Amino acid sequence: PSLCPPAECTLLRVLRLHNNGLKHIHGTTLQALNRLTWLEAHSNSISVLPEEVGELQSLQGISLSDNELSELPASLGTLQKLKLLTVARNKLSEVDSGALSPSITSLDLSGNAALTTFPSGILHMESLSRLSLAGCALESLPLDLFSRCNRVSDLDVSSNLL
């Protein structure tokens, strides 16, 4: 299944799609949802998040845990109001630094077992206060993590290879 709602959904602000067996969210669908502030599509089978997500400039929260994502679109980095990004338990092996908006305050990348290298873009996230990388396969943390991410008050790097 996939989601492609009619153009009448332009007033939608919150969209909850979890546990629907979705494999795709079409870019044209996202373009029609320009007032969306919250997108919750966890526990599906989504393998690609389209670049058009970057057009949702009102978006404040995205929950995409428990899907099949192997990468995040660079356009996520343009979302200036984004505060929460949850992509736990996907298939991420790396996270492009351009995909991480500096406005994010809470980032959950936990359970991405193929993630072996600390995403360097995190070091440029000045607003970050909560970070979870638990259950990944990280072998080390950057030496300057705490000096660069000095607003982080909740850090979870348990169950890694540190």
Side-chain angles (χ1 to χ4, degrees):
S2 62
L3 174 73
C4 192
E8 293 84 34
C9 293
T10 57
L11 297 177
L12 199 61
R13 295 193 190 280
V14 177
L15 180 58
R16 294 183 182 94
L17 299 166
H18 54 84
N19 296 306
N20 277 301
L22 291 175
K23 294 183 179 181
H24 308 284
I25 297 178
H26 296 284
T28 52
T29 298
L30 293 177
Q31 289 173 322
L33 303 175
N34 59 355
R35 294 190 185 188
L36 204 64
T37 60
W38 185 260
L39 175 60
E40 187 174 299
H42 63 81
S43 305
N44 283 293
S45 298
I46 299 167
S47 59
V48 175
L49 185 61
E51 285 288 338
E52 287 85 351
V53 71
E55 296 178 26
L56 303 178
Q57 290 299 312
S58 296
L59 211 52
Q60 297 175 22
I62 303 173
S63 176
L64 290 165
S65 296
D66 299 301
N67 276 290
E68 305 290 323
L69 296 171
S70 59
E71 63 181 358
L72 298 176
S75 63
L76 278 177
T78 67
L79 298 175
Q80 297 178 2
K81 294 183 181 178
L82 190 64
K83 299 294 181 197
L84 180 132
L85 177 60
T86 303
V87 286
R89 295 172 304 281
N90 275 279
K91 295 183 176 183
L92 299 173
S93 60
E94 63 181 359
V95 178
D96 184 284
S97 59
L100 297 174
S101 172
S103 63
I104 294 173
T105 59
S106 179
L107 176 62
D108 187 351
L109 294 166
S110 63
N112 282 287
L115 192 59
T116 59
T117 305
F118 186 88
S120 63
I122 291 173
L123 298 174
H124 304 286
M125 299 174 71
E126 298 171 0
S127 301
L128 192 65
S129 62
R130 182 185 173 279
L131 173 62
S132 181
L133 288 158
C136 295
L138 298 179
E139 297 175 357
S140 65
L141 296 176
L143 294 175
D144 58 349
L145 173 62
F146 297 106
S147 63
R148 303 268 311 265
C149 296
N150 55 11
R151 292 187 184 205
V152 173
S153 60
D154 183 353
L155 174 65
D156 187 353
V157 289
S158 59
S159 301
N160 274 283
L161 303 172
L162 303 174

